[in-house]
Amino acid sequence: MSENKENFIGFSLLADQLQRKTVKKGFEFTLMVVGESGLGKSTLVNSLFLTDLYSNRKLPPVSERLTKTTDIEKTKLEIEENGVKLRLTIVDTPGFGDGLEGADAWQACLKYVNDQLGLYFQSENSVNRKNMTDSRVHCCLYFLSPYGHGLRPLDIEFLKRLQYKVNLVPVIAKADSLTKTELAAKKKRIMAEIAEHGIELYQFPDTDSDEDEDFKAENERLKSGIPFAVVGANTTLQVGNKTVRGRQYPWGIVDIEDTNHSDFMHLKRFLIQTHMQDLKDVTHDVHYENFRIACLQELKAAGIEQPADITKSTERLDETYEDPEKILLLQQKDEEIRRMQEMLNSMQQKISKS
Ligand SMILES: Nc1nc2c(ncn2[C@@H]2O[C@H](COP(=O)(O)OP(=O)(O)O)[C@@H](O)[C@H]2O)c(=O)[nH]1
Ligand SMILES: [Mg+2]
């Protein structure tokens, strides 16, 4: 090694190592799409990730479709770009908002979100944490109809029920059915109603004054675009010698990637590039932390003694588990945590008996 030993601390190697590890392990991200059926959720997801997720799906016969309750569907895909892997899970909620099932739809979604938080809590407290996977929902795209006037009671109910559980990002679906003026008015009205009902959406990060100017500008631009007005398309069209992903109408073409036509590219950048890590951070630091504290309080209320240091916020294991000292510490804690797991189990038994 050519470095001067005295000046060489070694963290640069650690940074390399972390970098290599992240690249090898890839990013894990879960996106949930919610909204009335027919608003273009599946089409948008396909457009975002340039794949046809649902190409081999068979439509159930009509009789089955009529009785179908909210069915949550999970699709996993792995995207690799420049050697970086993205392990993406799409959680689709096909029946939401259809007729009678609508009123119960938020319950199914809330349960799904809660269950994933619970699974993470369990795996965080289990012995084998090295291969922990994270199935928590990092972002929920909520599709608003372009046809109605503002929010419907169903929308308000859903957003209120899930606001403290997941990062909510509203989008106006099928934005190609609105003119520019209509769209601007609709956005304004929706945001006013969201404020009026005290609904908490995903909060864009506060950019410090010392942060990168480009990011600050982009953050502001994206923030002011909420709710994103989106258009999806599964078809590519030939315009001159250019191939575009778009929708063909008698009067012309809507190029979904053209920012004059829709916010599709803004949403795409927001999700995949600029804010993916923040969505994950907020999920962990805010939504999961709230959930974890509530679990611990329940344990306490049930009269179960907690191991002292479990009340401390757990560090992110994916960043720490390779450190040998940490591994030792974790091993020592495992025994304690195993006892806690037993307590949890006995508490669950008590609850199910009562
Ligand atoms: N006008 C318009 N139609 C769309 C758009 N996205 C999807 N569609 C059409 O709407 C219908 C329902 O789309 P789909 O993605 O299955 O909706 P989902 O039930 O919400 O998943 C299909 O015929 C799509 O071609 C859009 O952005 N604009
Ligand atoms: Mg669909």
Side-chain angles (χ1 to χ4, degrees), residues 3 20 31 45 81 86 94 121 124 158 169 216 218 250 254 297 318 327:
E3 277 95 346
R20 203 155 14 86
L31 177 70
V45 162
E81 224 171 55
L86 171 63
F121 184 72
E124 202 175 55
F158 182 92
V169 175
K216 263 203 283 190
E218 174 113 51
V254 177
Q297 279 168 351
D318 55 355
I327 289 179

Side-chain angles (χ1 to χ4, degrees), residues 36-43 174 176 231-232 247 249:
E36 195 181 321
S37 114
L39 282 183
K41 298 184 296 296
S42 307
T43 309
K174 299 188 173 178
D176 53 331
V231 180
R247 308 187 68 83
Y249 289 100

